[in-house]
Amino acid sequence: MPLPADRTALDLLDAHLEALWDGTDLPLPQEPARLAAEGGGELVRWALDQLRRVPCEPKDAFARQVGSLLVEYRSRRCPWNAAALRLLDDTYTFAATGPRRYEDWAHDVRAVLHRSVPDPRGWVRLDWDRTNAARHTVPAYPFDPSDASELPGRLYPLEEEAAVAALAIMAEEWQSEPAPVRSRPDRDAVLADARTLLDRYGPTARYWTNATAAASDPAPDFLAAGLQGTKSNGYLTSEYLNGLDLFDDLGLIAVTDDEVGVFWSFGAY
């Protein structure tokens, strides 16, 4: 089934801005530009107008300004995007959703980790390593996912409120975190953003984590422990690539009949 014109225009412009941000020379073709202007509504017209105002030189300044425009464009597109960017855009995290196509959802999670499926709704994906040359060596970098038959073996079920807290502490840094979520003045706002992200998956969603605290309790107190106090089974590659050593991780997986959401925080130096 073809996408509605407004969704097509929104997705097209998102991809165009991302390519410009990456430094790819990708002019917007005339016909899609018309579709974006006429079918995408006020948001697309606003973003195109802002893009025209960005000086093309110097190239590094152009890329920075386009990156800022892309963040604003995505935030304005829907509340889910805005919550994801507020919560996780400043930390080394991965956040992506893919379609549910298999009875065994581990296959769908692997597809998300390998970036081989798009977000079913066209919403934002946070992925620091999407253009990392390390992926030529380890395609799912920084992950080293097991086969689908083995992947769930180091995961544990979580109750919904514990899943919210696990996602919230991904806003913390693994090392030298000056303000854990539990002590932040905006603690409730951080939790609200995490809840907004998980609300996408509906009341029947099931949640899984690699945090070992959940092995004996589906409702561990992630807020009290914080990111630095949370031990987990590792899902990361042991390859040392591009001078970056990965030392810890915390993951959360949401599973519904239609989608799988994957949220992961990485410790690295």
Side-chain angles (χ1 to χ4, degrees):
M1 178 181 297
L3 294 174
D6 58 347
R7 162 75 188 277
T8 301
L10 289 164
D11 290 351
L12 174 68
L13 185 53
D14 188 289
H16 176 62
L17 291 173
E18 186 171 277
L20 291 176
W21 180 41
D22 289 340
T24 304
D25 185 10
L26 182 67
L28 202 60
Q30 183 177 358
E31 179 61 22
R34 182 194 62 77
L35 174 64
E38 298 178 4
E42 185 61 31
L43 176 59
V44 171
R45 289 191 289 273
W46 168 83
L48 286 172
D49 181 62
Q50 294 297 310
L51 181 59
R52 293 186 190 103
R53 299 167 185 261
V54 178
C56 293
E57 298 291 344
K59 291 188 182 300
D60 57 346
F62 174 76
R64 285 196 302 272
Q65 291 187 61
V66 170
S68 297
L69 174 59
L70 179 58
V71 169
E72 181 65 21
Y73 173 73
R74 287 173 169 172
S75 293
R76 293 187 182 201
R77 182 168 177 175
C78 68
W80 195 90
N81 283 2
L85 290 164
R86 281 194 303 266
L87 184 68
L88 301 175
D89 198 37
D90 288 335
T91 55
Y92 186 9
T93 53
F94 176 87
T97 298
R100 177 81 185 274
R101 295 174 173 169
Y102 295 92
E103 179 72 21
D104 180 357
W105 51 262
H107 292 282
D108 299 305
V109 170
R110 280 180 52 85
V112 172
L113 299 182
H114 281 273
R115 288 84 157 178
S116 62
V117 291
D119 186 295
R121 310 186 200 192
W123 293 354
V124 71
R125 309 184 77 166
L126 303 179
D127 183 4
W128 281 30
D129 296 297
R130 60 191 174 79
T131 61
N132 192 334
R135 294 188 59 209
H136 297 309
T137 303
V138 181
Y141 187 90
F143 300 101
D144 183 17
S146 308
D147 292 339
S149 60
E150 301 174 356
L151 190 147
R154 291 174 293 166
L155 296 172
Y156 310 103
L158 274 186
E159 293 181 4
E160 182 176 354
E161 285 305 303
V164 169
L167 185 53
I169 66 169
M170 293 185 193
E172 299 179 6
E173 298 285 353
W174 280 95
Q175 294 178 304
S176 304
E177 172 55 60
V181 169
R182 62 180 177 272
S183 62
R184 293 183 186 180
D186 64 345
R187 171 184 179 276
D188 291 344
V190 172
L191 288 168
D193 279 342
R195 190 167 285 106
T196 293
L197 296 187
L198 297 190
D199 281 349
R200 165 181 182 158
Y201 306 102
T204 62
R206 292 171 294 152
Y207 299 101
W208 305 82
T209 182
N210 63 332
T212 55
S216 58
D217 179 7
D221 191 344
F222 287 107
L223 281 185
L227 199 58
Q228 295 179 48
T230 301
K231 303 301 180 184
S232 305
N233 294 322
Y235 277 76
L236 304 181
T237 178
S238 59
E239 293 273 0
Y240 181 74
L241 299 169
N242 296 342
L244 191 65
D245 189 19
L246 304 167
F247 65 84
D248 221 334
D249 63 306
L250 172 64
L252 174 68
I253 295 171
V255 178
T256 74
D257 290 341
D258 301 313
E259 296 181 327
V260 292
V262 180
F263 303 88
W264 226 270
S265 172
F266 313 110
Y269 59 84

